[in-house]
mmCIF file of all heavy atoms in Angstrom:
data_model
loop_
_atom_site.group_PDB
_atom_site.id
_atom_site.type_symbol
_atom_site.label_atom_id
_atom_site.label_comp_id
_atom_site.label_asym_id
_atom_site.label_seq_id
_atom_site.Cartn_x
_atom_site.Cartn_y
_atom_site.Cartn_z
ATOM 1 N N PHE A 5 7.818 -8.445 -4.179
ATOM 2 C CA PHE A 5 9.226 -8.523 -3.795
ATOM 3 C C PHE A 5 10.182 -8.432 -4.983
ATOM 4 O O PHE A 5 11.351 -8.091 -4.806
ATOM 5 C CB PHE A 5 9.492 -9.799 -3.002
ATOM 6 C CG PHE A 5 8.731 -9.834 -1.711
ATOM 7 C CD1 PHE A 5 7.623 -10.645 -1.575
ATOM 8 C CD2 PHE A 5 9.107 -9.040 -0.653
ATOM 9 C CE1 PHE A 5 6.907 -10.674 -0.390
ATOM 10 C CE2 PHE A 5 8.398 -9.055 0.539
ATOM 11 C CZ PHE A 5 7.296 -9.875 0.670
ATOM 12 N N LYS A 6 9.702 -8.727 -6.171
ATOM 13 C CA LYS A 6 10.542 -8.666 -7.371
ATOM 14 C C LYS A 6 10.534 -7.281 -8.014
ATOM 15 O O LYS A 6 11.454 -6.923 -8.732
ATOM 16 C CB LYS A 6 10.043 -9.668 -8.410
ATOM 17 C CG LYS A 6 10.262 -11.100 -8.041
ATOM 18 C CD LYS A 6 9.765 -11.972 -9.169
ATOM 19 C CE LYS A 6 9.842 -13.427 -8.826
ATOM 20 N NZ LYS A 6 9.293 -14.256 -9.888
ATOM 21 N N GLN A 7 9.493 -6.530 -7.769
ATOM 22 C CA GLN A 7 9.298 -5.230 -8.402
ATOM 23 C C GLN A 7 10.455 -4.289 -8.082
ATOM 24 O O GLN A 7 10.926 -4.225 -6.954
ATOM 25 C CB GLN A 7 7.976 -4.641 -7.896
ATOM 26 C CG GLN A 7 7.507 -3.481 -8.676
ATOM 27 C CD GLN A 7 6.039 -3.185 -8.391
ATOM 28 O OE1 GLN A 7 5.256 -4.087 -8.120
ATOM 29 N NE2 GLN A 7 5.689 -1.936 -8.462
ATOM 30 N N LYS A 8 10.903 -3.534 -9.093
ATOM 31 C CA LYS A 8 12.039 -2.641 -8.914
ATOM 32 C C LYS A 8 11.642 -1.176 -8.759
ATOM 33 O O LYS A 8 12.405 -0.384 -8.215
ATOM 34 C CB LYS A 8 12.998 -2.780 -10.087
ATOM 35 C CG LYS A 8 13.646 -4.150 -10.179
ATOM 36 C CD LYS A 8 14.638 -4.199 -11.314
ATOM 37 C CE LYS A 8 15.195 -5.578 -11.513
ATOM 38 N NZ LYS A 8 16.166 -5.984 -10.543
ATOM 39 N N TYR A 9 10.451 -0.822 -9.244
ATOM 40 C CA TYR A 9 10.061 0.590 -9.267
ATOM 41 C C TYR A 9 8.669 0.801 -8.667
ATOM 42 O O TYR A 9 7.786 -0.043 -8.789
ATOM 43 C CB TYR A 9 10.097 1.126 -10.695
ATOM 44 C CG TYR A 9 11.461 0.966 -11.308
ATOM 45 C CD1 TYR A 9 11.722 -0.050 -12.206
ATOM 46 C CD2 TYR A 9 12.505 1.813 -10.940
ATOM 47 C CE1 TYR A 9 12.985 -0.219 -12.745
ATOM 48 C CE2 TYR A 9 13.773 1.649 -11.472
ATOM 49 C CZ TYR A 9 14.007 0.630 -12.370
ATOM 50 O OH TYR A 9 15.268 0.462 -12.886
ATOM 51 N N CYS A 10 8.485 1.952 -8.055
ATOM 52 C CA CYS A 10 7.231 2.344 -7.426
ATOM 53 C C CYS A 10 6.111 2.440 -8.461
ATOM 54 O O CYS A 10 6.295 3.022 -9.532
ATOM 55 C CB CYS A 10 7.432 3.699 -6.739
ATOM 56 S SG CYS A 10 5.964 4.409 -5.979
ATOM 57 N N ASP A 11 4.950 1.874 -8.132
ATOM 58 C CA ASP A 11 3.793 1.941 -9.034
ATOM 59 C C ASP A 11 3.266 3.360 -9.188
ATOM 60 O O ASP A 11 2.620 3.672 -10.180
ATOM 61 C CB ASP A 11 2.662 1.049 -8.523
ATOM 62 C CG ASP A 11 2.915 -0.429 -8.774
ATOM 63 O OD1 ASP A 11 3.570 -0.765 -9.774
ATOM 64 O OD2 ASP A 11 2.448 -1.246 -7.957
ATOM 65 N N ARG A 12 3.517 4.225 -8.235
ATOM 66 C CA ARG A 12 2.989 5.594 -8.288
ATOM 67 C C ARG A 12 3.919 6.566 -8.993
ATOM 68 O O ARG A 12 3.518 7.285 -9.876
ATOM 69 C CB ARG A 12 2.733 6.116 -6.879
ATOM 70 C CG ARG A 12 1.689 5.339 -6.133
ATOM 71 C CD ARG A 12 0.448 6.172 -5.851
ATOM 72 N NE ARG A 12 -0.571 5.347 -5.261
ATOM 73 C CZ ARG A 12 -0.816 5.272 -3.975
ATOM 74 N NH1 ARG A 12 -0.141 5.997 -3.128
ATOM 75 N NH2 ARG A 12 -1.755 4.463 -3.543
ATOM 76 N N CYS A 13 5.174 6.608 -8.548
ATOM 77 C CA CYS A 13 6.076 7.657 -9.052
ATOM 78 C C CYS A 13 7.222 7.130 -9.904
ATOM 79 O O CYS A 13 7.937 7.908 -10.527
ATOM 80 C CB CYS A 13 6.634 8.481 -7.888
ATOM 81 S SG CYS A 13 7.849 7.596 -6.883
ATOM 82 N N GLY A 14 7.401 5.821 -9.920
ATOM 83 C CA GLY A 14 8.454 5.232 -10.736
ATOM 84 C C GLY A 14 9.824 5.221 -10.074
ATOM 85 O O GLY A 14 10.800 4.787 -10.682
ATOM 86 N N SER A 15 9.924 5.656 -8.822
ATOM 87 C CA SER A 15 11.210 5.666 -8.114
ATOM 88 C C SER A 15 11.693 4.248 -7.831
ATOM 89 O O SER A 15 10.899 3.312 -7.714
ATOM 90 C CB SER A 15 11.084 6.397 -6.772
ATOM 91 O OG SER A 15 10.878 7.756 -6.971
ATOM 92 N N ASP A 16 12.995 4.116 -7.699
ATOM 93 C CA ASP A 16 13.614 2.849 -7.340
ATOM 94 C C ASP A 16 13.149 2.431 -5.947
ATOM 95 O O ASP A 16 13.019 3.269 -5.055
ATOM 96 C CB ASP A 16 15.139 3.015 -7.359
ATOM 97 C CG ASP A 16 15.854 1.696 -7.415
ATOM 98 O OD1 ASP A 16 15.614 0.856 -6.523
ATOM 99 O OD2 ASP A 16 16.651 1.497 -8.351
ATOM 100 N N LEU A 17 12.902 1.151 -5.761
ATOM 101 C CA LEU A 17 12.403 0.642 -4.487
ATOM 102 C C LEU A 17 13.514 0.088 -3.582
ATOM 103 O O LEU A 17 13.229 -0.561 -2.585
ATOM 104 C CB LEU A 17 11.346 -0.436 -4.730
ATOM 105 C CG LEU A 17 10.049 0.054 -5.361
ATOM 106 C CD1 LEU A 17 9.172 -1.133 -5.759
ATOM 107 C CD2 LEU A 17 9.303 0.989 -4.439
ATOM 108 N N LYS A 18 14.776 0.373 -3.905
ATOM 109 C CA LYS A 18 15.892 -0.141 -3.112
ATOM 110 C C LYS A 18 15.854 0.337 -1.664
ATOM 111 O O LYS A 18 16.321 -0.347 -0.767
ATOM 112 C CB LYS A 18 17.225 0.285 -3.735
ATOM 113 C CG LYS A 18 17.583 -0.476 -4.973
ATOM 114 C CD LYS A 18 18.919 -0.021 -5.505
ATOM 115 C CE LYS A 18 19.205 -0.696 -6.832
ATOM 116 N NZ LYS A 18 20.408 -0.169 -7.460
ATOM 117 N N LEU A 19 15.302 1.515 -1.419
ATOM 118 C CA LEU A 19 15.287 2.067 -0.067
ATOM 119 C C LEU A 19 14.071 1.647 0.747
ATOM 120 O O LEU A 19 13.916 2.067 1.889
ATOM 121 C CB LEU A 19 15.370 3.598 -0.124
ATOM 122 C CG LEU A 19 16.645 4.156 -0.730
ATOM 123 C CD1 LEU A 19 16.585 5.670 -0.808
ATOM 124 C CD2 LEU A 19 17.865 3.701 0.068
ATOM 125 N N GLY A 20 13.207 0.843 0.159
ATOM 126 C CA GLY A 20 12.045 0.345 0.885
ATOM 127 C C GLY A 20 10.789 0.364 0.049
ATOM 128 O O GLY A 20 10.688 1.098 -0.926
ATOM 129 N N ARG A 21 9.866 -0.460 0.443
ATOM 130 C CA ARG A 21 8.583 -0.587 -0.258
ATOM 131 C C ARG A 21 7.508 -0.966 0.727
ATOM 132 O O ARG A 21 7.787 -1.518 1.785
ATOM 133 C CB ARG A 21 8.679 -1.645 -1.350
ATOM 134 C CG ARG A 21 8.833 -3.038 -0.796
ATOM 135 C CD ARG A 21 9.125 -4.090 -1.824
ATOM 136 N NE ARG A 21 10.472 -3.911 -2.306
ATOM 137 C CZ ARG A 21 10.835 -4.093 -3.593
ATOM 138 N NH1 ARG A 21 9.973 -4.511 -4.453
ATOM 139 N NH2 ARG A 21 12.061 -3.896 -3.970
ATOM 140 N N ILE A 22 6.294 -0.643 0.367
ATOM 141 C CA ILE A 22 5.138 -0.993 1.187
ATOM 142 C C ILE A 22 3.920 -1.050 0.274
ATOM 143 O O ILE A 22 3.911 -0.414 -0.783
ATOM 144 C CB ILE A 22 4.953 0.018 2.344
ATOM 145 C CG1 ILE A 22 3.995 -0.526 3.391
ATOM 146 C CG2 ILE A 22 4.539 1.383 1.825
ATOM 147 C CD1 ILE A 22 4.078 0.187 4.717
#
Side-chain angles (χ1 to χ4, degrees):
F5 297 105
K6 290 182 185 177
Q7 193 164 328
K8 295 183 186 285
Y9 302 102
C10 177
D11 284 329
R12 297 246 174 98
C13 72
S15 291
D16 197 304
L17 293 171
K18 285 181 186 173
L19 297 177
R21 68 188 71 218
I22 195 163

